[in-house]
Amino acid sequence: MPEDTTLPIPSGPLDQTVAALAAAYPGLRQTDPSKFGASLAEVRLTPQRTARFAWAGYEVQVIVGHEDHLDRDNPDSPVLYREVRAHATLLVHQTVAVDGIGHVEWEMINSRAEMAFPDAFAVAVADRHDPRFAAAVLSTVAKSLAYARLATEHAGVQAEKAADEVRWESERPAGISPRKWLRDKRAQRDATA
């Protein structure tokens, strides 16, 4: 009899979320509070209702709010929820080699230079033992990493545009207004895009 090699289809929201995270962010793990050998589905919080996850150099800080009546569509609802907030950061190691512009008495080193990305928000069920709570936390972590990817792509485009403007300024002929020169160069760039 041949061995069945089909993977089981995830059934609940937590299983589906963990499967999607494993595909999109392989190696994502919870780093605080840490528990040796714990699966990603075992979302743990500190007494301050925080958690930290790590993936490919990114760190995601999660903050879970108190139980609250968050259903604004139905103010009479007795159901309690929790707000989940996550934001990703990326440690930037090369800041030591950056020289400042202008006079300072002496340079100081930023020992933890980080790029911060936009916060992701979601609402979770209030019961922290409900699998839907863990699914909401992990989903918010994924959203914060997606925001980091989008922001990084946007920063790359903006850096190219800034580099163009620096190059164009160095090419500007004498006697031409810097504003007019940049406006004309931007129009040329936009026409070829």
Side-chain angles (χ1 to χ4, degrees), residues 55-122:
W55 176 74
Y58 292 95
E59 188 175 271
V60 180
Q61 175 74 29
V62 176
I63 301 167
V64 176
H66 293 285
E67 294 179 350
D68 196 2
H69 296 280
L70 297 175
D71 188 353
R72 303 296 183 238
D73 294 333
N74 185 3
D76 298 329
S77 172
V79 180
L80 297 175
Y81 297 96
R82 292 180 187 270
E83 181 180 286
V84 180
R85 173 191 226 167
H87 69 272
T89 57
L90 179 63
L91 192 60
V92 180
H93 299 284
Q94 295 85 5
T95 59
V96 175
V98 175
D99 291 327
I101 295 175
H103 171 77
V104 295
E105 295 304 319
W106 61 83
E107 295 287 337
M108 295 183 71
I109 296 174
N110 183 347
S111 61
R112 188 152 170 88
E114 295 177 327
M115 290 175 50
F117 299 99
D119 287 0
F121 295 92

Side-chain angles (χ1 to χ4, degrees), residues 107-183:
E107 295 287 337
M108 295 183 71
I109 296 174
N110 183 347
S111 61
R112 188 152 170 88
E114 295 177 327
M115 290 175 50
F117 299 99
D119 287 0
F121 295 92
V123 173
V125 296
D127 181 3
R128 293 173 25 183
H129 301 290
D130 187 323
R132 295 174 302 162
F133 174 80
V137 169
L138 294 172
S139 177
T140 310
V141 168
K143 186 187 283 188
S144 73
L145 289 169
Y147 286 175
R149 181 182 51 79
L150 290 171
T152 302
E153 290 172 4
H154 179 72
V157 170
Q158 288 301 113
E160 288 177 19
K161 288 180 179 180
D164 284 346
E165 296 201 5
V166 168
R167 183 175 42 81
W168 295 334
E169 177 59 27
S170 69
E171 298 169 352
R172 181 174 54 89
I176 295 183
S177 159
R179 287 185 182 165
K180 180 182 181 332
W181 179 255
L182 285 177
R183 186 175 56 245

Side-chain angles (χ1 to χ4, degrees), residues 2-85:
E3 184 179 325
D4 185 14
T5 58
T6 59
L7 297 173
I9 297 172
S11 58
L14 179 57
D15 295 334
Q16 293 170 353
T17 303
V18 169
L21 277 174
Y25 304 104
L28 176 68
R29 67 192 190 290
Q30 184 170 356
T31 57
D32 184 44
S34 63
K35 180 180 175 188
F36 185 73
S39 76
L40 192 56
E42 298 176 49
V43 171
R44 298 164 309 283
L45 298 176
T46 67
Q48 295 78 27
R49 295 179 320 282
T50 64
R52 187 170 295 131
F53 293 81
W55 176 74
Y58 292 95
E59 188 175 271
V60 180
Q61 175 74 29
V62 176
I63 301 167
V64 176
H66 293 285
E67 294 179 350
D68 196 2
H69 296 280
L70 297 175
D71 188 353
R72 303 296 183 238
D73 294 333
N74 185 3
D76 298 329
S77 172
V79 180
L80 297 175
Y81 297 96
R82 292 180 187 270
E83 181 180 286
V84 180
R85 173 191 226 167

